[in-house]
Amino acid sequence: MKRRISILGATGSVGTSTLDLVERHPDRFEVIALTAATNAAALADCARRTGAKLAVITDERKFDELRDLLAGSGCRAATGHDAMLEAAAGDAEWVMAAIVGCAGLEPVMAAVEAGRTIALANKEALVTAGWLMTDAAKRAGATILPVDSEHNAIFQCLAGNSHDGVAKLILTASGGPFRTWTKADMDVARPEQALAHPNWSMGAKISIDSATMMNKGLELIEAHHLFGLSSARIDILVHPQSVIHSMVEYVDGSVIAQLGSPDMRIPIAHALAWPERITTRAETLDLIKIATLSFEPPDEQRFPSLRLARAALESGKGEAIVLNAANELAVAAFLDRRIAFGDIARIVERAIEETDAPAPSSIAEVIDIDQSVRHKVGESLSSLVA
Ligand SMILES: NC(=O)c1ccc[n+]([C@@H]2O[C@H](COP(=O)([O-])OP(=O)(O)OC[C@H]3O[C@@H](n4cnc5c(N)ncnc54)[C@H](OP(=O)(O)O)[C@@H]3O)[C@@H](O)[C@H]2O)c1
């Protein structure tokens, strides 16, 4: 039986890597639905190549273009909120959640509530919805498989071991393109410098998050929700080669690590075929060529986003929603050249200081907090000229 899959965010970096694997293994996967925000041409191309049944575009202005591009293909073009939820919770049993940002939250929740297996790349959805999502997954019998390379590594390191024996999780971080830069140099860094990640090829938002190290902060919160450990038992370790993707330390002193080339097709393949394994086109790890693996402590002075994310998690309230929304807006403003690199963390910190967000008891409350922060931060950013 082929696995019936949907890919939310099919035209992005993770979506494209997922399609690469699906097309390599046509005997194993049947594509049901694909989605994108605005890129109708790429979406139609993916839908035609894979024989998808449904293609959903978020931007309604692009619907006519998508429908025309898919004419005669047998793939239905659609747009709108309900169509997105259909892509997430319709006929597919396995869903790749690869939309970027909190925009992915509602589709992910629809898949969770429908009891699907969700390969979760869209970390912002889990960061904002936290226990609401993991509790809903338990109730609905949904399975959440981590795709982020660090969490996928931890998932693999935990397999076959008693979770009671876990002492701590060690999330590795490359340190990003500014690992060795001074704070003064980083303050005036340009978008093209921040986008130039030394090891990974990724979408723009996560690349900027890697440069500020907010990505690792979001991953800390993600790890807490996925694996149920307190912030105090999740360490961050800078490892510039990105060969060890994360580790689990057990109470007996054993440390289990997962290694691989820095290629997202490896963790995606793991989630795609789980509990089996499939081949990928990723480069095989050559440890003799790499020769040295090095480690450093993270620097929260130069990378304040790490401190902000840990504090947001420890607040036990809705601070992670505020942190995420303010960060999404600040990153977009930086990419538009409206603010300096150093302003990103300052904007996030100010939003947290100025917002008292209670712990949400429903997804509607998460969306309310997210929208009110976007409104407030958006207003202060709109006065800046691009
Ligand atoms: N890239 C990586 O290597 C990597 C690794 C680990 C985790 N992740 C996580 O995976 C997620 C996706 O990252 P990415 O790098 O693949 O992002 P990306 O390249 O920017 O792709 C984002 C995808 O989401 C769609 N999209 C964007 N905004 C949307 C909206 N408002 N509503 C619906 N769809 C929307 C885009 O469609 P269009 O193409 O039409 O804009 C695209 O298909 C992020 O949460 C990221 O943190 C990524």
Side-chain angles (χ1 to χ4, degrees), residues 159-359:
N161 287 290
S162 156
H163 290 204
D164 293 343
V166 173
K168 65 180 178 186
L169 307 180
I170 303 164
L171 282 177
T172 54
S174 69
F178 301 150
R179 180 175 64 86
T180 57
W181 287 37
T182 64
K183 194 154 177 23
D185 286 344
M186 270 195 270
D187 264 348
V188 293
R190 296 189 305 278
E192 48 280 14
Q193 294 172 306
L195 286 167
H197 197 282
N199 304 340
W200 296 93
S201 160
M202 309 182 284
K205 194 259 177 185
I206 185 176
S207 296
I208 303 302
D209 284 348
S210 298
T212 59
M213 291 196 74
M214 177 58 90
N215 185 47
K216 212 47 56 182
L218 297 176
E219 288 179 6
L220 168 76
I221 301 173
E222 187 185 5
H224 165 76
H225 291 302
L226 283 170
F227 305 113
L229 267 72
S230 67
S231 155
R233 290 170 66 202
I234 308 173
D235 283 357
I236 293 172
L237 179 67
V238 176
H239 164 47
Q241 295 81 17
S242 298
V243 166
I244 297 179
H245 296 304
S246 278
M247 300 179 251
V248 176
E249 183 181 310
Y250 287 90
V251 289
D252 61 5
S254 299
V255 177
I256 301 185
Q258 186 263 351
L259 284 71
S261 297
D263 186 324
M264 279 306 291
R265 288 174 298 189
I266 298 174
I268 294 170
H270 176 265
L272 196 56
W274 183 82
E276 294 173 15
R277 298 269 180 177
I278 52 172
T279 58
T280 71
R281 276 185 263 259
E283 210 175 302
T284 313
L285 191 62
D286 184 344
L287 285 173
I288 292 178
K289 200 162 119 200
I290 295 163
T292 306
L293 300 181
S294 58
F295 306 95
E296 301 161 11
D299 182 343
E300 292 191 358
Q301 295 308 314
R302 283 186 305 129
F303 298 99
S305 299
L306 282 174
R307 168 178 55 78
L308 295 174
R310 198 178 279 280
L313 170 59
E314 289 172 358
S315 78
K317 301 198 293 176
E319 261 184 37
I321 310 167
V322 181
L323 171 109
N324 180 70
N327 182 58
E328 284 193 32
L329 262 70
V331 168
F334 170 67
L335 286 168
D336 283 352
R337 300 176 196 275
R338 283 186 288 142
I339 60 169
F341 184 79
D343 291 333
I344 300 175
R346 284 190 275 273
I347 287 169
V348 173
E349 185 154 29
R350 194 177 329 125
I352 291 172
E353 279 165 9
E354 290 175 357
T355 316
D356 183 26

Side-chain angles (χ1 to χ4, degrees), residues 52-239:
K53 313 279 180 296
L54 173 67
V56 181
I57 189 115
T58 311
D59 185 343
E60 294 180 0
R61 293 164 304 179
K62 295 294 183 101
F63 172 69
D64 288 350
E65 181 187 346
L66 180 67
R67 187 197 51 210
D68 293 350
L69 287 165
L70 287 174
S73 68
C75 178
R76 178 164 57 95
T79 187
H81 186 253
D82 289 353
M84 185 59 89
L85 299 189
E86 183 187 345
D91 292 341
E93 68 217 5
W94 189 100
V95 179
M96 164 55 83
I99 290 174
V100 62
C102 193
L105 174 57
E106 285 188 272
V108 172
M109 281 306 295
V112 167
E113 279 161 3
R116 303 292 188 260
T117 297
I118 297 108
L120 189 75
N122 181 198
K123 66 190 80 182
E124 297 89 349
L126 187 58
V127 164
T128 53
W131 293 117
L132 293 171
M133 186 182 295
T134 51
D135 284 352
K138 275 184 212 132
R139 275 198 311 275
T143 303
I144 299 177
L145 299 172
V147 169
D148 231 339
S149 58
E150 296 77 0
H151 307 76
N152 182 271
I154 290 169
F155 185 83
Q156 296 197 46
C157 296
L158 288 170
N161 287 290
S162 156
H163 290 204
D164 293 343
V166 173
K168 65 180 178 186
L169 307 180
I170 303 164
L171 282 177
T172 54
S174 69
F178 301 150
R179 180 175 64 86
T180 57
W181 287 37
T182 64
K183 194 154 177 23
D185 286 344
M186 270 195 270
D187 264 348
V188 293
R190 296 189 305 278
E192 48 280 14
Q193 294 172 306
L195 286 167
H197 197 282
N199 304 340
W200 296 93
S201 160
M202 309 182 284
K205 194 259 177 185
I206 185 176
S207 296
I208 303 302
D209 284 348
S210 298
T212 59
M213 291 196 74
M214 177 58 90
N215 185 47
K216 212 47 56 182
L218 297 176
E219 288 179 6
L220 168 76
I221 301 173
E222 187 185 5
H224 165 76
H225 291 302
L226 283 170
F227 305 113
L229 267 72
S230 67
S231 155
R233 290 170 66 202
I234 308 173
D235 283 357
I236 293 172
L237 179 67
V238 176
H239 164 47

